[in-house]
């Protein structure tokens, strides 16, 4: 099961050749996908040979082979993690029953919605990132961008496979619609807010892959617990790909910080304006980018109280992060969870039924996980002997979904007036001027082993290759 058949038109480990109808349907979708990739995939990349990893098995150890692949001839395929024998539903009202191999009729609409919402984020991020290849700071970074892009494309395949195999005609229609929506389009946008934002420069890209791909990690982990076994198996394998995306983000931000700190140390300059004259990204600007991407990303978890979240859990469709490692009853009836609300101008805790607060539970797990990278970024600053520290803003800061939508909260968690917000917002969120400055640094570096001035080279290359390896042959 773990071995992947690359001899068929659509590489897969799901014995696609045994289901001719499904195979034909997916082969019918393939050219539409390739058209979408031509239109919306990385601009100007056609004909490049890119050092990419390709999945060759779905076992956690050594699933990938590396080699130069001509864009856009990457082989997108359908790969599910191995089936676990006798797997049971681990939570909710069906707890203890055998997992479903087919969609249970009563949960069909909810499952379709979950799969479409996840699927929609995958092509969205490719669309958001499509122009970044024109300004890559090195071949190494360009290669990482393309790796992330082709794998987001593959994640779309993962969801489209489920729609085609398990949802009949409306599944096929949803699969078409996934290729029709466009990130940021006024008439036909992507489903979730953060996936309609622009990713205009490489600092935004690194923040996006650190924070927003991490949202992916948490959503996929929750779906990997699903009682619908095909969804659990496909998301389980997606998670192994996702890890690299977050690595690209964390190490990318870290290298920007490292370079800035090196210049600060070398020159003794701390003033942002003067540092900008030296062509590096000052730390307060990095903080403002962080504040933006973090706050936009935590909105993705949805409203802090949600009856849908309760239904998805109780029906066994979507679990919690690391559901099976938790020691409670996995039913959660009668359990409470503390969420925040604004009362008399202050943020106060209030206990609500946990089942209704499962979006908040997942958001809080995400927040804990996000803090790790920020701590490691601060280590880079500390090592340079500088006193500046990056922080995650308060979770109520700059929110547009749930209790805090429309309420002004400072990064340190005080409910504030509109006037105070207006006075300070340029210190808290990346401004037009910040973005224009960062954009001014973006210029394409194509020479093998060269890195742009605003970012440090990585400590090691991809797949243990040297950092001056020829990651891209531009031809
Ligand atoms: Fe993805
Ligand atoms: Fe990703």
């Amino acid at each position: 099961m773990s071995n992947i058949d690359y001899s068929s038109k659509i590489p897969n480990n799901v014995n696609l050749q045994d289901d001719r109808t499904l195979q034909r349907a997916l082969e019918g979708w393939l050219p539409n996908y390739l058209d979408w990739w031509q239109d919306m995939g990385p601009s100007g990349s056609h004909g490049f040979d890119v050092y990419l990893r390709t999945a060759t098995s779905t076992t956690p150890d050594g699933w990938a082979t590396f080699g130069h692949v001509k864009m856009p001839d990457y082989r997108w395929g359908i790969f599910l993690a191995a089936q676990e024998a006798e797997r049971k539903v681990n939570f909710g009202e069906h707890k203890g029953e055998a997992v479903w191999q087919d969609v249970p009729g009563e949960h069909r609409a909810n499952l379709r919605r979950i799969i479409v919402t996840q699927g929609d984020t995958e092509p969205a991020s490719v669309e958001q990132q499509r122009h970044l290849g024109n300004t890559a700071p090195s071949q190494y970074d360009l290669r990482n961008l393309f790796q992330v892009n082709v794998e987001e494309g593959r994640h779309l395949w993962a969801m489209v496979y489920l729609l085609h195999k398990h949802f009949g005609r409306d599944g096929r229609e949803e699969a078409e619609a996934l290729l029709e929506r466009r990130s940021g389009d006024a008439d036909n946008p992507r489903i979730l807010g953060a996936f309609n934002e622009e990713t205009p420069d490489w600092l935004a890209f690194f923040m996006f892959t650190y924070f927003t791909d991490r949202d992916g990690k948490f959503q996929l982990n929750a779906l990997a617990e699903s009682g619908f076994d095909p969804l659990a198996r496909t998301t389980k394998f997606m998670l192994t790909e996702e890890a690299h995306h977050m690595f690209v983000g964390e190490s990318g931000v870290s290298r920007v910080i490292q370079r800035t700190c090196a210049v600060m140390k070398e020159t003794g300059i701390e003033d942002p304006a003067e540092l900008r004259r030296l062509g590096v990204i000052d730390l307060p600007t990095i903080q403002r980018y962080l504040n933006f991407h973090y706050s936009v990303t935590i909105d993705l978890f949805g409203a802090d109280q949600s009856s849908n979240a309760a239904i998805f859990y109780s029906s066994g469709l979507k679990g919690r992060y690391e559901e099976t490692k938790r020691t409670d009853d996995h039913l959660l009836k009668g359990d409470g969870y503390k969420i925040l609300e604004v009362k008399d101008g202050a943020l106060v805790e209030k206990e609500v039924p946990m089942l209704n607060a499962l979006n908040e539970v997942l958001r809080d797990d995400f927040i804990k996980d996000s803090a790790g990278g920020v701590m490691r970024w601060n280590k880079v600053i500390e090592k340079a002997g500088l006193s500046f520290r990056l922080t995650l803003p308060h979770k109520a800061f700059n929110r547009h979904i749930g209790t805090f939508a429309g309420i002004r909260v400072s990064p340190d968690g005080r409910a504030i007036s509109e006037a105070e917000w207006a006075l300070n917002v340029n210190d808290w969120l990346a401004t037009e001027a910040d973005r224009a400055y960062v954009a001014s640094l973006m210029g394409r570096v194509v020479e093998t082993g060269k890195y742009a001035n605003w970012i440090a080279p990585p400590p090691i290359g991809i797949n243990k290759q040297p950092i001056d390896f020829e990651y891209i042959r531009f031809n």
Side-chain angles (χ1 to χ4, degrees):
M1 200 61 188
S2 67
N3 283 331
I4 292 168
D5 172 15
Y6 271 93
S7 66
S8 44
K9 205 164 174 184
I10 300 168
N12 71 89
N13 70 348
V14 294
N15 297 325
L16 197 54
Q17 71 282 357
D18 295 346
D19 186 342
R20 291 288 176 195
T21 314
L22 176 63
Q23 188 177 26
R24 265 197 303 275
L26 286 165
E27 285 178 2
W29 187 79
L30 171 63
N32 299 344
Y33 170 81
L34 291 175
D35 284 348
W36 167 81
W37 182 268
Q38 286 285 348
D39 289 349
M40 297 312 293
S43 62
S45 65
H46 296 310
F48 295 179
D49 291 323
V50 185
Y51 188 69
L52 293 175
R53 67 174 184 185
T54 304
T56 41
S57 98
T58 56
T59 55
D61 47 324
W63 58 268
T65 54
F66 284 83
H68 283 90
V69 177
K70 192 173 287 301
M71 300 277 271
D73 298 346
Y74 189 83
R75 302 288 310 280
W76 286 278
I78 298 157
F79 317 132
L80 270 60
Q83 190 165 352
E84 216 177 282
E86 320 256 309
R87 187 170 167 256
K88 301 277 188 279
V89 181
N90 291 313
F91 58 92
E93 280 152 15
H94 299 284
K95 192 182 152 208
E97 297 173 19
V99 290
W100 312 298
Q101 298 305 330
D102 295 304
V103 177
E106 75 267 36
H107 303 318
R108 193 172 189 278
N110 281 334
L111 260 177
R112 193 182 69 194
R113 179 168 166 192
I114 288 170
I115 291 166
V116 167
T117 307
Q118 178 62 42
D120 193 67
T121 67
E122 314 291 355
S125 63
V126 175
E127 292 164 3
Q128 289 170 292
Q129 295 162 15
R130 67 180 303 253
H131 296 301
L132 289 171
N134 303 330
T135 55
S138 72
Q139 283 189 20
Y140 167 90
D141 291 288
L142 185 56
R143 175 259 166 234
N144 284 347
L145 170 72
F146 289 160
Q147 184 73 62
V148 170
N149 290 162
V150 294
E151 286 174 355
E152 300 305 3
R154 206 206 67 72
H155 290 176
L156 172 59
W157 274 92
M159 294 297 118
V160 163
Y161 166 73
L162 295 178
L163 289 170
H164 270 233
K165 181 166 168 74
H166 296 282
F167 293 88
R169 188 198 174 121
D170 44 333
R172 291 192 292 278
E173 284 169 6
E174 293 283 13
E176 289 304 325
L178 283 168
L179 296 176
E180 284 158 11
R181 284 185 288 273
R182 289 285 181 275
S183 176
D185 190 296
D187 300 324
N188 195 14
R190 292 294 172 183
I191 296 170
L192 300 171
F195 291 91
N196 289 302
E197 298 284 347
E198 281 183 56
T199 311
D201 60 64
W202 279 75
L203 183 57
F205 172 64
F206 293 140
M207 291 292 178
F208 185 98
T209 41
Y210 184 75
F211 288 113
T212 312
D213 284 75
R214 187 173 311 275
D215 161 68
K217 167 185 167 180
F218 280 81
Q219 301 298 342
L220 294 174
N221 263 293
L223 297 178
E225 305 284 350
S226 181
F228 179 47
D229 204 40
L231 177 61
R233 289 170 56 206
T234 199
T235 47
K236 214 168 155 189
F237 182 63
M238 289 161 77
L239 276 165
T240 66
E241 296 167 309
E242 207 61 57
H244 177 67
H245 307 180
M246 288 177 289
F247 158 81
V248 168
E250 180 173 339
S251 60
V253 173
S254 182
R255 289 161 54 215
V256 175
I257 294 170
Q258 192 191 332
R259 177 65 189 140
T260 301
C261 289
V263 169
M264 289 173 78
K265 227 177 125 180
E266 219 172 273
T267 59
I269 295 172
E270 295 202 5
D271 177 52
E274 279 186 62
L275 285 167
R276 286 185 177 194
R277 277 194 284 279
L278 298 172
V280 292
I281 305 175
D282 51 285
L283 300 175
T285 296
I286 295 173
Q287 178 71 61
R288 288 191 290 274
Y289 266 70
L290 184 162
N291 289 350
F292 173 77
H293 285 274
Y294 175 77
S295 56
V296 164
T297 300
I298 58 176
D299 265 345
L300 286 171
F301 291 87
D304 30 6
Q305 291 192 75
S306 157
S307 53
N308 274 332
I311 292 167
F312 293 170
Y313 185 86
S314 295
S315 334
L317 307 181
K318 183 178 177 183
R320 287 168 294 172
Y321 178 62
E322 300 193 321
E323 181 69 44
T324 43
K325 290 190 187 163
R326 299 186 190 228
T327 53
D328 53 32
D329 67 359
H330 305 280
L331 300 172
L332 312 181
K333 284 182 185 155
D335 292 353
Y337 195 75
K338 288 203 174 77
I339 64 165
L340 288 177
E341 65 172 355
V342 183
K343 217 174 183 178
D344 304 326
L347 298 181
V348 290
E349 282 189 331
K350 127 172 156 185
E351 179 139 327
V352 298
M354 187 185 270
L355 277 173
N356 285 317
L358 286 172
N359 286 343
E360 197 64 17
V361 171
L362 197 59
R363 180 165 23 241
D364 286 340
D365 289 329
F366 168 91
I367 290 172
K368 269 181 240 143
D369 202 53
S370 296
V374 178
M375 196 187 71
R376 288 185 287 277
W377 294 336
N378 280 332
K379 286 251 179 334
V380 177
I381 306 174
E382 196 182 336
K383 230 173 124 186
L386 299 162
S387 58
F388 191 97
R389 294 292 179 268
L390 293 162
T391 52
L392 290 177
H394 192 276
K395 71 172 170 182
F397 169 74
N398 192 38
R399 293 289 304 283
H400 299 284
I401 301 233
T403 301
F404 302 115
I407 290 175
R408 298 304 193 186
V409 176
S410 63
D412 61 0
R414 288 172 302 112
I416 56 171
S417 67
E418 189 63 40
E420 189 176 350
W421 173 269
L423 203 65
N424 292 287
V425 65
N426 287 349
D427 292 329
W428 293 340
L429 290 170
T431 62
E432 286 303 313
D434 292 337
R435 293 188 186 282
Y437 170 67
V438 174
S440 78
L441 297 177
M442 301 292 121
R444 193 178 206 193
V445 177
V446 292
E447 299 87 350
T448 304
K450 285 251 166 63
Y451 290 80
N453 176 60
W454 55 269
I455 188 167
I460 49 164
I462 291 297
N463 193 31
K464 300 199 182 91
Q465 296 289 359
I467 60 172
D468 60 355
F469 182 72
E470 192 178 20
Y471 291 103
I472 313 267
R473 299 188 198 121
F474 292 96
N475 302 319

